[in-house]
C-alpha cells in the first residue's frame, strides 16, 4: 500500500505560479506511475498530468500543456507539479495518485491510491 500526502496549494493571483508536492510512503515509490488530477466544485475529477515510473515519459491534459510540468524524484519518494501562468479556471482541489498499471493515462479508475488533496485557488 502507498500513502500519499500533497502540499503546496494556496491562493495565488492569475498569472502566478505554484509548485505542488506529493510525498509517498509505503511500498516502493518507483514501482508506480504517478498522476495529478483536479476537481472543481460541481465538476467531475479530471486528469491533469502523469509521469511514468522512471520519469522518462510525461503526459498532460490539453489544459495543462505548456503551463504545467510534472516531475518526480524517486530518491525522495516525491512527485511534483509545477504550475505556471495560472488561470482562475485552474481553481480546484488537486490530488496526486499512484497507479501500478500500464497504461495509466486519463482515467482516475486506473489509479489505486490517492492523497487527501490540496486546494488551489486562483484569483482574477
Amino acid at each position: 500500500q502507498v500513502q500519499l500526502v500533497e502540499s503546496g496549494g494556496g491562493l495565488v493571483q492569475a498569472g502566478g505560479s505554484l509548485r505542488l508536492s506529493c510525498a509517498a510512503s509505503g511500498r516502493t515509490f518507483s514501482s508506480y506511475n504517478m498522476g495529478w488530477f483536479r476537481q472543481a466544485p460541481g465538476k467531475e475529477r479530471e486528469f491533469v498530468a502523469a509521469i511514468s515510473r522512471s520519469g522518462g515519459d510525461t503526459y498532460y491534459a490539453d489544459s495543462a500543456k505548456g503551463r504545467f510540468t510534472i516531475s518526480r524524484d524517486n530518491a525522495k519518494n516525491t512527485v511534483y507539479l509545477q504550475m505556471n501562468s495560472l488561470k482562475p479556471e485552474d481553481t480546484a482541489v488537486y490530488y496526486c495518485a499512484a497507479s501500478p498499471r500500464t497504461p495509466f493515462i486519463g482515467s482516475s479508475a486506473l489509479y489505486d491510491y490517492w492523497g487527501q488533496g490540496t486546494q488551489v485557488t486562483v484569483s482574477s
Side-chain angles (χ1 to χ4, degrees), residues 51-63:
I51 189 166
S52 61
R53 295 175 180 88
S54 67
D57 297 300
T58 57
Y59 308 88
Y60 298 92
D62 287 345
S63 59

Side-chain angles (χ1 to χ4, degrees), residues 12-18 67-68 83-88 90 122:
V12 64
Q13 289 188 333
S17 298
L18 282 175
R67 299 188 300 127
F68 294 3
M83 304 188 294
N84 298 328
S85 302
L86 283 161
K87 306 173 182 180
D90 294 318
V122 184

Side-chain angles (χ1 to χ4, degrees), residues 43-118:
K43 295 188 176 181
E44 293 187 354
R45 190 169 298 189
E46 65 175 3
F47 170 76
V48 176
I51 189 166
S52 61
R53 295 175 180 88
S54 67
D57 297 300
T58 57
Y59 308 88
Y60 298 92
D62 287 345
S63 59
K65 287 179 182 177
R67 299 188 300 127
F68 294 3
T69 303
I70 188 171
S71 62
R72 68 190 294 166
D73 186 336
N74 286 344
K76 294 183 178 180
N77 286 4
T78 303
V79 62
Y80 305 97
L81 186 68
Q82 177 67 44
M83 304 188 294
N84 298 328
S85 302
L86 283 161
K87 306 173 182 180
E89 50 264 44
D90 294 318
T91 295
V93 177
Y94 283 71
Y95 299 89
C96 72
S99 173
R101 301 175 180 81
T102 302
F104 57 98
I105 308 306
S107 173
S108 60
L110 298 172
Y111 289 77
D112 290 357
Y113 304 104
W114 294 81
Q116 83 289 350
T118 185

Side-chain angles (χ1 to χ4, degrees), residues 31-42:
S31 66
Y32 291 90
N33 299 306
M34 298 298 295
W36 285 97
F37 290 76
R38 67 186 182 186
Q39 188 166 19

